[in-house]
Amino acid sequence: FRTNAIRQFERWVDWENSLRADEYRSGLLDRLYAGSTRNPFQLPASAVTAKLIHAIESPRPKARYFVTMPTYGVNILRRLLPTSLLEHVLKRG
């Protein structure tokens, strides 16, 4: 995934001339090229494999399985907040 993301980033994003060039320099470039060991959205493929095996072997599999901690958090927010407020929260990051 990262290899394809880098290829598309280099092809389509003129970050040096972007209004957000400082944001790219301060962390986004490092996360893209080097990766981050503390990124809660990024887990090894084995994390997904474990969930997949669980779903396949379960006699009554769930409709959704969450892998990363942020997906659990967003699921809770999805249940508690109205859609418009959830979208506002997600847009603000």
Side-chain angles (χ1 to χ4, degrees):
F1 182 86
R2 183 176 307 279
T3 303
N4 288 332
I6 290 170
R7 189 176 316 129
Q8 295 304 314
F9 174 79
E10 290 173 348
R11 180 176 179 189
W12 296 106
V13 179
D14 181 14
W15 70 269
E16 293 173 305
N17 295 313
S18 169
L19 295 175
R20 298 181 181 258
D22 290 336
E23 291 177 42
Y24 283 107
R25 277 188 208 93
S26 68
L28 292 173
L29 292 173
D30 183 50
R31 284 184 18 217
L32 179 63
Y33 288 101
S36 173
T37 57
R38 296 174 11 157
N39 185 347
F41 292 97
Q42 185 176 336
L43 293 175
S46 60
V48 175
T49 304
K51 293 286 184 165
L52 181 60
I53 290 170
H54 176 76
I56 290 170
E57 293 178 346
S58 175
R60 295 176 59 182
K62 299 177 190 177
R64 292 173 186 82
Y65 287 87
F66 306 106
V67 179
T68 63
M69 289 309 292
T71 58
Y72 284 99
V74 170
N75 183 53
I76 291 168
L77 290 176
R78 184 181 60 86
R79 290 175 171 210
L80 297 175
L81 301 177
T83 302
S84 60
L85 186 54
L86 176 63
E87 288 176 358
H88 178 74
V89 169
L90 293 176
K91 284 179 187 177
R92 294 191 51 100

